[in-house]
Amino acid sequence: MEKTINFIGIGTPKSGTTWLAKCLSEHPEIYLPEKKEIHFFNKYYYCEKFEFEENYKKGIEWYLSNFNSEKPIKGEFSPSYFADPLAYKRIKKHFPNIKLIVIFRNPIERLYSSYFYSLPSSFILRKHFKELKNLEHITFEDYLKVAKWDIEIGFYYKHLQKWLSLFDKEQIFICFYDDIISNPKKLLKDIYEFLEVNNINYIPKSLKRKENAGILPDVSSKWYKLFNKFEIVLLENISKFPYVYSLARKLKLGRVYQKIYVNLAYRRSKKPKIRKETKEYLIRLYKDDILSLSEFTGRDLSHWLKI
């Protein structure tokens, strides 16, 4: 029997893909790799401005080796695929009949959530933009000045057209973050039917579990100030030791650093509201795309346009 997979979750970041992947992985007929995001087909990593080609160069056999299971339905979730310039072409080349799943969240809320997710890795921002290196705390408005790649993800209808240019509409299951909040059981049942599993009434333990909840920096903390100074010094000297930085990335030391940073200098807290003028700007930015997506899907998205 030829090795293959049945579905790929293509996005979008910070829209509930971790929750959905966890729920699907608990179904007795569905297999997802332990590592949720394989990042095989994408050229770029969605939250950094560097290429991410290493995995694709390993070849399709390496990719399929991540799916060694007897379960009949196999797939993965890598939200970086959705807005990537090459992922949709590469997936079509290797899996022309694949089923695709995409989750859309209010693009402004998604962007705001992504900002909070990026805060513990503020070095990523400082690395690329010198004007941020002396900021004690990066605000959402500061983030918008530099995170052009993250803003771009929110033009859902525009990116969706790329996928529809190569895949039939019936191959793409479009759902909304709002459905995860309002009726997750029905959403899962619809996805089970889309994936053609036998037991469409299965209820996973993670149904009501929250994933990747937001956290805020404790700017008064001595640890936060210490880490902040460390990142500034690191930024000023990293170019002198490119091989050290490359090795650190390969060893995934950044994740270790981020975990320590978050545990010491961050706290769980309710997110403050987006400034009115900032939200008005983002609504103007995304309005036409939202209206096009609403018309295409037949879904009322007017609440995405409210201040």
Side-chain angles (χ1 to χ4, degrees):
M1 183 176 176
E2 183 183 0
K3 266 190 174 183
T4 189
I5 60 172
N6 308 88
F7 72 92
I8 298 177
I10 57 176
T12 56
K14 307 308 299 173
S15 299
T17 59
T18 300
W19 171 84
L20 181 53
K22 181 66 176 174
C23 287
L24 292 181
S25 70
E26 293 177 13
H27 194 288
E29 298 172 53
I30 302 174
Y31 176 80
L32 286 89
E34 186 175 345
K35 177 180 172 59
K36 176 203 164 197
E37 300 178 17
I38 300 179
H39 294 298
F40 180 74
F41 297 102
N42 49 311
K43 179 177 176 63
Y44 297 105
Y45 187 49
Y46 69 84
C47 66
E48 289 200 36
K49 293 180 66 180
F50 62 78
E51 292 197 9
F52 202 92
E53 296 275 61
E54 297 97 329
N55 285 346
Y56 191 70
K57 291 177 181 177
K58 294 176 183 178
I60 194 65
E61 289 303 318
W62 174 85
Y63 178 71
L64 290 172
S65 70
N66 289 276
F67 302 92
N68 292 323
S69 172
E70 296 301 317
K71 291 186 178 183
I73 308 295
K74 303 178 182 67
E76 64 123 336
F77 275 80
S78 290
S80 52
Y81 293 159
F82 181 69
D84 191 84
L86 287 181
Y88 71 112
K89 295 179 181 179
R90 289 171 169 174
I91 292 175
K92 178 66 177 181
K93 174 184 175 182
H94 295 288
F95 304 108
N97 300 314
I98 196 78
K99 293 183 178 183
L100 305 170
I101 300 173
V102 61
I103 307 176
F104 292 135
R105 180 182 186 179
N106 180 326
I108 299 170
E109 292 181 0
R110 190 214 68 79
L111 186 59
Y112 199 41
S113 179
S114 186
Y115 153 68
F116 279 101
Y117 180 76
S118 300
L119 276 178
S121 298
S122 54
F123 173 70
I124 292 174
L125 302 178
R126 292 192 177 99
K127 182 179 66 171
H128 297 296
F129 305 96
K130 292 182 179 179
E131 65 266 27
L132 292 183
K133 74 175 184 179
N134 293 318
L135 292 178
E136 184 177 88
H137 171 53
I138 297 173
T139 67
F140 184 47
E141 287 68 32
D142 294 325
Y143 185 73
L144 294 179
K145 292 176 185 176
V146 298
K148 306 303 180 187
W149 68 92
D150 212 358
I151 294 173
E152 176 64 22
I153 291 171
F155 292 100
Y156 301 145
Y157 182 75
K158 170 185 157 184
H159 292 298
L160 183 60
Q161 297 315 296
K162 297 185 305 185
W163 294 89
L164 289 169
S165 71
L166 295 182
F167 297 92
D168 293 338
K169 186 178 179 181
E170 291 71 26
Q171 289 179 255
I172 305 176
F173 185 93
I174 298 173
C175 54
F176 293 85
Y177 180 82
D178 296 343
D179 298 329
I180 297 176
I181 304 301
S182 63
N183 199 341
K185 190 180 295 186
K186 182 182 183 304
L187 174 61
L188 279 178
K189 187 174 182 178
D190 290 343
I191 294 175
Y192 291 155
E193 290 180 341
F194 174 70
L195 296 178
E196 299 180 90
V197 300
N198 292 318
N199 185 0
I200 62 172
N201 296 310
Y202 181 82
I203 300 176
K205 294 179 180 178
S206 297
L207 181 71
K208 296 183 179 181
R209 177 177 174 177
K210 289 186 177 181
E211 297 286 348
N212 296 332
I215 52 178
L216 293 172
D218 182 0
V219 294
S220 63
S221 163
K222 64 179 181 180
W223 288 110
Y224 181 83
K225 293 176 181 178
L226 180 63
F227 279 111
N228 199 58
K229 290 179 181 179
F230 170 74
E231 289 187 353
I232 291 172
V233 173
L234 188 61
L235 174 68
E236 292 173 344
N237 292 279
I238 195 68
S239 60
K240 300 175 185 177
F241 308 99
Y243 296 108
V244 175
Y245 176 66
S246 178
L247 179 62
R249 275 194 57 208
K250 288 182 179 179
L251 296 176
K252 299 179 180 179
L253 296 182
R255 294 184 182 181
V256 177
Y257 168 79
Q258 183 177 353
K259 188 172 183 179
I260 296 173
Y261 188 1
V262 168
N263 287 338
L264 293 176
Y266 278 67
R267 65 179 184 272
R268 300 274 173 202
S269 182
K270 187 176 181 180
K271 296 176 184 175
K273 290 185 177 180
I274 303 174
R275 286 167 49 182
K276 183 180 178 182
E277 57 269 33
T278 302
K279 193 167 186 179
E280 288 174 341
Y281 159 72
L282 291 171
I283 287 175
R284 290 194 300 271
L285 184 68
Y286 287 124
K287 183 178 180 180
D288 289 345
D289 192 87
I290 290 173
L291 292 175
S292 295
L293 181 66
S294 178
E295 182 179 359
F296 176 79
T297 60
R299 180 84 174 223
D300 180 10
L301 302 175
S302 58
H303 58 293
W304 287 7
L305 298 171
K306 292 181 179 179
I307 302 297

